[in-house]
Amino acid sequence: MEDGQTMTVSPIKFPASYSSSLGYYCAMSAGKEEVSVSEGDVRILTSGGLRIPMHASVLASVSSVLENILDRPRKGRNNEKIVPILGVPSDAVLAFVRYLYSSRCSEDDLDNYGIHLLTLSHVYSIRKLKQRCTRGLAARLNTDNVVDMLQLARLCDAPDLYVKCMKLLSKDFKGVEESEGWRFLQGHDPWLELEILQFLDDAESAKKRRRKEREAQSLYLQLSEAMECLEHICTEGCTSVGPYDKEPSRDGPCNKFSTCQGLQLLIRHFATCSKRVDGGCSRCKRMWQLFRLHSSICECDQLDSCKVPLCRQFKLKTQSVKKGDDARWRLLVRKVKMARVMSSLSLPLPMRKQWEQTRQQHQRRSHGR
């Protein structure tokens, strides 16, 4: 645009989709021709020398900052109200003015002037435009512009855009390192570079922590399933191992046969191992811990009612242990109990009812009823 251009406001009413009590439509011409139909009472001055007529009522209604600028006393004899909007291209100011009148921001405006519109919305406290620009710029993020967008998000106090930028940096930092924006950042803004590297380090630590938590939760779920299978084997019997007064089941594998099969092999080894007495067998130690874990979570009321081996002995031993001892073991027991409850709650309602019925049947059989 050429210096000294003037734009006017024509008193055309808004269409239905642009209805407004102000009753004005900003008819802006990007060419040299002027459309002088109705003069505004305010002029917006751009860096390119463009003077855009506006209505003070429009500016005051959308921005308290612009309202305060209009209320300032004017120096000299000139009564003309001038609102300078400098530091951004004239076309960006035009897009900004269009939004003030229509409350709409097109995708083309975001493509061409999104950064400038976000800056103007922040400076003049226009919340809806700021939200629109934040969403639009976040959707246009890539490895080439993410550093620039991050700096803009910090300057314009746009936390949503800031988080989006950081997530992209964490996801594809190698690609960002090759961008021109990152190289510029390293030479001119070491504090932001340190902030990014700290975020990446924290994100990696959080990722490792979540992975450890998932692994631990998986272990608790496996132990919970092993406890169910142990009760099932010792009360009903499975394919090759069962209680002494019952034959092993011939109905075929149970629905958790992979766990049951491993437990049956472990039980058979435990019953015949010659190293168990001396405590030199790791497999027997594992079986011993499973028996102890079962005893800790067993819900049988009477000591002699449970059919799982060594349950009574471990319960008696637990009663004699001081409360302050073996805190890690009690934590493990609590985690396994929690995993059993969470596993049952994650099942669909019909399967949850079936699981509860099976658990009650195991309890009745353990009591010998």
Side-chain angles (χ1 to χ4, degrees):
M1 297 207 172
E2 296 184 359
D3 292 349
Q5 275 188 299
T6 301
M7 307 201 62
T8 59
V9 179
S10 105
I12 303 174
K13 290 190 176 182
F14 285 97
S17 59
Y18 287 78
S19 60
S20 170
S21 60
L22 300 174
Y24 292 100
Y25 174 77
C26 187
M28 288 168 290
S29 171
K32 298 181 180 179
E33 298 181 359
E34 297 180 357
V35 182
S36 181
V37 181
S38 173
E39 290 290 334
D41 51 359
V42 181
R43 293 290 187 273
I44 289 180
L45 178 64
T46 70
S47 298
L50 189 66
R51 301 165 68 89
I52 309 174
M54 291 285 294
H55 295 86
S57 58
V58 175
L59 299 180
S61 66
V62 296
S63 170
S64 59
V65 177
L66 289 171
E67 183 180 14
N68 292 333
I69 294 175
L70 293 172
D71 290 340
R72 293 174 185 172
R74 293 180 296 279
K75 297 180 181 180
R77 299 179 180 180
N78 187 5
N79 292 326
E80 186 180 20
K81 295 180 180 179
I82 300 294
V83 178
I85 299 182
L86 310 175
V88 296
S90 298
D91 288 338
V93 180
L94 290 176
F96 180 65
V97 170
R98 281 197 296 270
Y99 178 85
L100 297 183
Y101 274 92
S102 67
S103 297
R104 290 194 174 186
C105 183
S106 67
E107 293 295 325
D108 288 339
D109 286 341
L110 286 175
D111 286 334
N112 298 321
Y113 318 114
I115 293 176
H116 305 297
L117 290 174
L118 177 58
T119 304
L120 293 174
S121 67
H122 174 68
V123 170
Y124 297 109
S125 298
I126 304 177
R127 184 174 58 86
K128 290 185 178 180
L129 177 58
K130 188 173 183 178
Q131 292 175 345
R132 175 75 173 96
C133 293
T134 298
R135 291 194 300 268
L137 293 176
R140 291 163 171 80
L141 282 177
N142 54 56
T143 56
D144 292 328
N145 65 15
V146 65
V147 174
D148 296 331
M149 293 297 183
L150 182 62
Q151 292 175 309
L152 179 67
R154 293 173 77 218
L155 292 172
C156 295
D157 189 22
D160 293 342
L161 181 59
Y162 179 90
V163 172
K164 291 278 189 181
C165 291
M166 283 298 193
K167 286 183 177 180
L168 179 58
L169 279 163
S170 178
K171 184 179 179 181
D172 190 11
F173 183 62
K174 290 184 178 179
V176 175
E177 279 186 307
E178 299 175 358
S179 67
E180 185 65 29
W182 178 257
R183 288 191 289 270
F184 180 85
L185 176 70
Q186 287 180 306
H188 295 83
D189 196 345
W191 289 109
L192 180 56
E193 180 187 3
L194 180 62
E195 184 178 335
I196 293 172
L197 296 177
Q198 183 64 49
F199 177 86
L200 296 176
D201 184 65
D202 293 342
E204 185 63 27
S205 299
K207 188 184 298 184
K208 291 180 180 179
R209 187 165 57 251
R210 288 193 297 269
R211 183 167 60 247
K212 288 182 179 179
E213 290 174 356
R214 286 195 299 268
E215 292 173 354
Q217 188 62 27
S218 177
L219 174 62
Y220 299 141
L221 288 172
Q222 291 175 16
L223 288 173
S224 173
E225 185 175 291
M227 293 300 100
E228 294 180 24
C229 291
L230 185 61
E231 294 175 8
H232 158 64
I233 291 170
C234 296
T235 55
E236 301 171 342
C238 200
T239 54
S240 60
V241 178
Y244 68 92
D245 56 348
K246 285 186 178 181
E247 290 290 331
S249 175
R250 296 181 179 178
D251 298 335
C254 62
N255 57 356
K256 296 179 180 178
F257 182 66
S258 59
T259 304
C260 264
Q261 185 182 33
L263 265 179
Q264 290 179 79
L265 294 174
L266 204 57
I267 292 172
R268 294 178 69 175
H269 169 83
F270 182 81
T272 58
C273 181
S274 58
K275 296 181 181 180
R276 174 165 52 90
V277 178
D278 299 330
C281 180
S282 59
R283 296 177 67 187
C284 290
K285 287 181 181 179
R286 195 179 308 129
M287 191 69 239
W288 196 269
Q289 290 174 339
L290 291 175
F291 282 138
R292 182 188 176 190
L293 181 59
H294 162 79
S295 173
S296 300
I297 67 174
C298 181
E299 299 178 355
C300 294
D301 298 330
Q302 300 177 2
L303 291 177
D304 296 329
S305 60
C306 183
K307 293 187 176 182
V308 176
L310 303 176
C311 182
R312 179 177 181 275
Q313 287 85 339
F314 278 119
K315 283 184 179 294
L316 290 173
K317 184 177 180 180
T318 302
Q319 292 175 1
S320 63
V321 175
K322 296 180 181 180
K323 292 184 178 180
D325 297 339
D326 219 354
R328 293 181 63 184
W329 179 262
R330 289 199 302 276
L331 177 62
L332 173 64
V333 171
R334 188 164 65 250
K335 292 287 188 179
V336 173
K337 286 182 177 180
M338 189 182 300
R340 172 177 282 193
V341 173
M342 295 303 294
S343 177
S344 65
L345 292 177
S346 64
L347 295 173
L349 184 59
M351 295 182 65
R352 199 185 312 166
K353 291 181 178 179
Q354 183 180 0
W355 180 87
E356 183 62 27
Q357 292 174 357
T358 304
R359 190 180 68 85
Q360 292 175 357
Q361 290 175 2
H362 285 168
Q363 287 183 346
R364 287 195 296 269
R365 287 168 183 159
S366 298
H367 286 122
R369 296 175 185 172

